[in-house]
Amino acid sequence: MLGIALLVYSAEKLIGYLVGVASRWTISLFLIAVIFTGIEFDDLAFGIVLNLEDLSKVALGTVIGTTIAMTGLVLALAAIIAPTSVDVPKDYLVLFVAAPVVMFALALTRALTLVTGIVLVLLFVAFVGWIAYREYTARRPIWRNAEVYEQLEKAGAGGGGTATATLAGAGGGGGDAPTGSATGGSNGFRLPPDLRIDQGFLKARQHSPGAAIALAVLALIGLVVGAVVAGEGTGGVLDTFGIDGTVFGATIATLALSLEDIFLTVEPQRRGAPEIAVANIIGSVVFSVTGKLGIILLVGGAITVDHDVLTWHLPVLLVLTVLSAIFLATGRLRRWHGVVLLALYVVYFVVSLVAFNGVPVDTD
């Protein structure tokens, strides 16, 4: 329970602080979120340790499993709980799909080597570089509601000023003001009808640039620690129940590692910052099958790819990634999108446990 509580608290804070970093440094929130949430340090450390301990099947299974869970579980729950409009450039979606395709092609050699690791790490660096270039040259807004929050600050909202709000209807709780119009002296303006003012975002924007970075890093550390504490004890399942290493990594271990991603995807959408949610999904998928796997190979050594990985796990990964890209390309995540993705993930989870040496049979 302590791990879950720390996880939830840190995720809440990190979301606000990322908005603060983007606002104070005038950097795209999407790019900031890719770096802070897409690069999953706890998953990376977990995979390296597994490979160093000669549990390469579990390490590979964790890479594949967390990637599948990002779409089949995390994105699915986000769409079901907080459906929202999304604006994802088509080239980002192409890279989102291309990364697993490249991994699949390399896996067909049946051996992921140190050379493979170097190639994958370079591909992830190129991905981040491209996102940074595109976000800068396209002159995209820092984030969707940046201008609205700037007007709120000028009107005095959240900063001890005299701004008042004329509400159009009931809004959400938890520090979020309802939607409506706000006025403040000569700085009167009308809020978008679908906007919920988040006081955490207003406060985060008031920090200095250095403090914004420091607080975001601190929240990220808390998130990783919370995820580690929450996931303790999963390793004993492997020995106790005799589950195949790849299956264990792709199912049981993945569920523990997906907790933070669920919070970092569902919550930003609920609070009106879907850029963080989408960046977390796209960044995590690309990082998992390129940067994370590459570093695991470079530090822990080569990994042999089993037949089951090529005929079951990787094909499922590709199907869910392509389907997710199609849903994101529509411009709006809908509840039925989430239902479809979640249903496919449940089927994958069950089949992996039952049909691929997931349920041990006593032969004595």
Side-chain angles (χ1 to χ4, degrees):
M1 290 300 294
L2 177 61
I4 296 294
L6 180 59
L7 189 67
V8 173
Y9 177 80
S10 298
E12 286 275 353
K13 292 297 183 182
L14 180 60
I15 293 166
Y17 294 149
L18 290 182
V19 170
V21 171
S23 301
R24 299 300 292 166
W25 288 85
T26 320
I27 300 175
S28 160
L29 179 58
F30 188 92
L31 175 61
I32 291 294
V34 164
I35 296 173
F36 272 83
T37 68
I39 302 176
E40 300 176 317
F41 298 98
D42 55 331
D43 292 14
L44 176 60
F46 186 58
I48 290 174
V49 170
L50 290 172
N51 206 22
L52 288 173
E53 294 181 355
D54 294 325
L55 293 172
S56 59
K57 285 187 177 181
V58 182
L60 181 59
T62 301
V63 168
I64 297 172
T66 52
T67 308
I68 292 174
M70 285 305 302
T71 54
L73 181 62
V74 177
L75 182 61
L77 290 177
I80 293 171
I81 296 172
T84 185
S85 59
V86 292
D87 179 17
V88 188
K90 295 300 185 291
D91 53 331
Y92 293 6
L93 294 177
V94 170
L95 294 175
F96 174 59
V97 174
V101 171
V102 170
M103 177 194 172
F104 198 171
L106 294 173
L108 289 173
T109 64
R110 303 298 295 269
L112 301 173
T113 64
L114 295 179
V115 174
T116 306
I118 294 173
V119 171
L120 291 174
V121 170
L122 290 177
L123 286 175
F124 180 72
V125 172
F127 165 75
V128 175
W130 176 253
I131 295 294
Y133 170 76
R134 284 283 283 111
E135 291 292 301
Y136 176 76
T137 57
R139 300 297 180 183
R140 291 160 58 85
I142 296 174
W143 64 296
R144 185 172 68 174
N145 295 320
E147 293 184 1
V148 175
Y149 275 81
E150 288 176 5
Q151 293 181 65
L152 281 169
E153 289 176 347
K154 291 178 181 178
T162 59
T164 60
T166 303
L167 306 181
D176 294 336
T179 59
S181 60
T183 59
S186 60
N187 295 317
F189 63 96
R190 185 167 186 81
L191 297 178
D194 62 342
L195 175 67
R196 297 196 331 174
I197 303 170
D198 190 295
Q199 294 298 325
F201 291 171
L202 284 172
K203 293 177 181 177
R205 289 170 56 88
Q206 296 171 9
H207 295 299
S208 66
I213 288 284
L215 289 170
V217 170
L218 187 61
L220 182 62
I221 293 173
L223 193 71
V224 172
V225 173
V228 171
V229 174
E232 278 188 357
T234 57
V237 177
L238 190 62
D239 296 326
T240 303
F241 295 98
I243 297 177
D244 173 78
T246 302
V247 173
F248 174 80
T251 55
I252 307 301
T254 291
L255 288 180
L257 293 173
S258 297
L259 289 174
E260 63 180 281
D261 290 309
I262 292 173
F263 287 116
L264 284 175
T265 303
V266 175
E267 191 63 8
Q269 289 199 179
R270 187 189 68 82
R271 294 173 62 181
E275 293 91 342
I276 296 178
V278 175
N280 184 41
I281 295 293
I282 293 179
S284 294
V285 167
V286 175
F287 175 69
S288 290
V289 298
T290 58
K292 180 166 72 176
L293 178 58
I295 294 173
I296 289 174
L297 293 172
L298 292 176
V299 177
I303 296 177
T304 301
V305 181
D306 289 343
H307 181 261
D308 291 347
V309 172
L310 296 175
T311 58
W312 173 243
H313 298 288
L314 285 179
V316 171
L317 189 159
L318 288 177
V319 169
L320 283 174
T321 303
V322 170
L323 192 57
S324 298
I326 293 173
F327 291 158
L328 289 169
T330 65
R332 183 170 183 82
L333 280 178
R334 304 180 186 278
R335 284 196 170 90
W336 72 266
H337 293 164
V339 171
V340 171
L341 291 172
L342 186 59
L344 291 175
Y345 182 75
V346 170
V347 171
Y348 165 74
F349 193 94
V350 173
V351 172
S352 295
L353 285 176
V354 174
F356 289 87
N357 198 28
V359 179
V361 178
D362 188 353
T363 57
D364 293 340

